[in-house]
Structure formats: C-alpha cells, structure tokens
C-alpha cells in the first residue's frame, strides 16, 4: 500500500509552521526564511534549484528523503500562492518558476477550481475542491502505486493528520519563537499515541522528528 | 552578579507547560505525569524525594544542575497549590509534604498574601504581591549572593522572560500534543535573539534546550 508522507516541514518552538502576512514577496509572511535556514544550506535544497554543492550532514540526509518513491503531491492553496478567493486570472502558476521541483502530478486543494496546468519537468498542477479522503484517492490513482506527499501548508497537514491519513511525517523544530502565524498542532491532542516518534538534534540547532504510524 | 535561572521546565510539542483542570489530585491537570516521565526516572528526581537510585544518563546530568548555587526560589501561586482567590485557611503548605525539596527561602507570588510558613529542611514560604522586578529584589537579598530560580508555573516563567530577567533557562520539550492548558511561549516573539540556544535529544525522547543570555 502506498504511504502518505510529510517531509521537511518546519515549525517554530511555539508551533507555527508559517508566519503572519503571506505576500508575493514573503511566502512565509513575517517568518521570512527563518524556518528554513537549516534547509537552505543542504545539497538537497540546492539540487531542488538545479544547483550543485551544499552540506551533506544529517540535515541533508533527513531532508533528502523527501522525494524518493513519491508519485504525487497534495498541497493547500496557500502553499501554491498568496491569492485568496476566486482566481482573477490564470497567469499564476506557483512560486517555483517554469520547472517546479515536484516532477509529478500536484493536487492543489482550493474551493475555486481552475484548469490543470502542465509545467516543464513533469509537474502538472490539478485544482480540486474535495475532502482529504477524496483528493487522496485521486492522488493515489495518479501516483501509480507510489507514495503521496502532503506538501503543506499547516492547515492542509493538520487536516490530513486529524483525519488519520498520514503514515510518515518529518518535522523540523526550529528554535525560534514566531509569536504569530498558522499553528500546526491545534486540534491534534493525543496525536503522539498513533505514532512512533524519534528525535535528533543537529549542529544547525534544529530538532528533526520523525513520526511513523504505529 | 547572581543569575536568574529556570530548570527542568517541561513543555509539550505544542507549547503547553501544564494541562487543563488543575486539582489536588492532578497538579498538572489533564497532563498528569506525562510532561515529566523523563524526569521521574532520574537519580536527581529520586534524590528530591529522599530516595536513592535512578538513571544517571544525560536526562539526569541536565536535570541535576537545578539546585547547585541556588539561594532562593520564586514561584507562582498555581505552582504552590490549586486554590484560587482569598485563602480560606492557612492549612495548605504546598504539594511537597513537611520537608520540601527547595531548602531555601521560596517567594510565592500571589495577590492574597498570608504569613510566612517555615518548613522542615530550610524551606520557608513567603507570600508576596509584587512585580517580577520587586520579588526578584527580595529573593536576591534572601539568596545572599547565590542564584535565584524561577520555579514556574508557565505564567510566572513567561512574565520573567517578558521582563528580560532570565539569565539561564533549561526547557525539556516532550513529544506529546497536550492540546490545552497553559502555554509557555505566548507573547514572547523573537525571544531567541536574546539567548544562545543549545539542544540535545536523549533516548527518553525528550529534547533538552538550554537558553543562555547573550
């Protein structure tokens, strides 16, 4: 059975996975790049940008597992873009340029569907207004037996966790106090009972946590 | 200059340092003992109960630093007891029996002062209605040049952090989602800028974090 996985999902010490005030210039609002500094230095991140080099330590080893065996991604609309409400036009095709790093079908959850967009490099964005269960059914079919990644943002990950649909999750706890934004853990009391949890800190200061469904 | 220190202060992954519903039977409310399981197994905890034995690993090494060089403690009223409002009588002398583990003057912050209580073993509870700065002045005087520990609960630690009065803090992040209770980090956006932070995970699953003021 294909697994449902979350990877490289950073949260602040106070539980925020994104800041307040998302905009075209600041996908993570007032958090800026602070939740992902540990990631920007890795070979894995560079490779996503088509670049070579970068750190090859534990931050890289853990983050590097994000892509292998993935056949589709599901993301929330706020990960796709800063727009809200009905689409004013269809010019926006995500933050990632002409060749996004996904290279699979990507299902964008939105109450305002629009035509699918085929990008370079194998990424196709599909826009669906559906429950977690229903979009997962579509993503699994598109993934052809491979795993499905839940790409974020926080409310999308939270919905899939609340529905008991996540098999594996990697969280990076970053030692900053964001103070405001969108919390990951709200409404998930007792979540730990469903998972085997491992933690490791790295010299970057981050604590990597893996949640494997029992 | 004597330092102001916080030790063995456990928070859940979602930032709660105590649960909901404190009572005589459950000082930490619905959290029960779950925030402190890592601590109960240590030699340090056993020694606080006048017992021998227990684990002598990193959990013990980190928690064992709580007492050395401390000349006074400051705690909030909710750490002292479950009562709220005016004291109905003065029979309650804390959760810790006749010989509490503090062995120093302890200043209990409360809007309802009462006479000091001298316990066995060197602990004397003083009840004061004061600002963090004022109670710290009193505690420093009583500590005779030694350090002052802020003992909790969350709102007391938060007040001292917000006032910039904490020099050293040890937090144990416990991989559970409490969901409700009292949060430690609220109102402390950007706190990390004032501290050098180190983290280490231990086999108990806890991440110990030390905050040392820059």
């Amino acid at each position: 059975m294909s697994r449902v996985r979350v990877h490289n999902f950073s949260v602040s010490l106070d539980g925020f996975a994104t800041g307040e005030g998302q905009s075209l210039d600041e996908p993570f609002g007032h958090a800026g790049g602070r939740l992902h500094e540990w990631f920007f230095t890795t070979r894995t991140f560079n490779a996503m940008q088509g670049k070579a080099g970068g750190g090859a330590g534990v931050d890289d080893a853990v983050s590097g597992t994000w892509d292998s065996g993935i056949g589709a991604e599901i993301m929330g609309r706020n990960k796709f873009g800063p727009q809200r409400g009905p689409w004013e036009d269809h010019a926006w095709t995500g933050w990632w340029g002409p060749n996004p790093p996904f290279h699979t079908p990507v299902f964008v959850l939105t109450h305002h569907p629009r035509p699918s967009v085929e990008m370079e490099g194998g990424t196709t964005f599909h826009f669906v207004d559906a429950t977690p269960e229903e979009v997962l059914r579509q993503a699994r079919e598109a993934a052809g037996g491979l795993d499905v990644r839940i790409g974020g943002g926080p409310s999308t990950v939270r919905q899939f966790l609340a529905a008991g649909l996540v098999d594996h999750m990697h969280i990076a706890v970053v030692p900053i106090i964001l103070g405001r934004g969108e919390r990951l853990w709200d409404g998930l009391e007792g979540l730990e009972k469903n998972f085997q949890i491992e933690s490791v800190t790295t010299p970057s200061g981050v604590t990597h946590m893996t949640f494997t469904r029992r």
Side-chain angles (χ1 to χ4, degrees), chain A:
Chain A
M1 182 67 169
S2 82
R3 291 180 302 157
V4 175
R5 294 157 45 189
V6 176
H7 286 273
N8 298 339
F9 201 74
S10 291
V11 299
S12 65
L13 200 48
D14 51 343
F16 293 100
T18 188
E20 205 172 65
Q22 187 189 48
S23 68
L24 266 179
D25 291 333
E26 290 292 4
F28 290 86
H30 85 290
R34 289 181 290 157
L35 284 168
H36 305 98
E37 277 167 12
W38 67 270
F39 187 38
F40 296 152
T41 64
T42 61
R43 291 178 77 83
T44 296
F45 181 79
N46 280 341
M48 286 171 73
Q49 324 300 314
K51 295 178 192 159
V58 176
D59 288 336
D60 184 59
V62 177
S63 61
T65 65
W66 80 292
D67 200 31
S68 122
I70 294 287
E73 168 157 328
I74 296 168
M75 66 170 67
R77 179 178 176 173
N78 296 1
K79 175 170 173 180
F80 182 72
Q83 306 84 1
R84 303 290 183 267
W87 301 98
E88 297 193 2
D89 59 53
H90 295 165
W92 179 260
T93 57
W95 315 89
W96 303 278
N99 186 354
F102 309 110
H103 312 299
T104 67
V106 174
F107 294 81
V108 181
L109 284 165
T110 168
H111 295 307
H112 303 280
R114 52 179 258 196
S116 295
V117 182
E118 197 174 334
M119 310 292 290
E120 294 171 22
T123 298
T124 302
F125 292 113
H126 301 290
F127 301 85
V128 291
D129 184 5
T131 62
E133 289 80 359
E134 169 56 20
V135 70
L136 179 56
R137 194 193 59 72
Q138 294 180 33
R140 277 212 157 109
E141 194 172 303
L146 295 177
D147 291 349
V148 174
R149 186 175 50 234
I150 311 299
S155 79
T156 300
V157 174
R158 195 168 58 230
Q159 281 176 59
F160 278 82
L161 286 169
L165 296 173
V166 175
D167 298 301
H168 175 86
M169 176 166 69
H170 160 227
I171 299 286
V173 180
V174 181
I176 61 176
I177 312 294
L178 271 186
R180 53 211 159 90
E182 202 174 334
R183 293 187 194 272
L184 174 61
W185 304 115
D186 280 7
L188 297 175
E189 179 178 340
L191 182 76
E192 70 278 4
K193 297 188 196 94
N194 306 329
F195 292 93
Q196 182 188 330
I197 302 174
E198 289 187 28
S199 303
V200 67
T201 51
T202 62
S204 66
V206 163
T207 303
H208 295 287
M209 305 185 71
T210 56
F211 293 64
T212 306
R213 195 211 286 262
R214 288 184 194 279

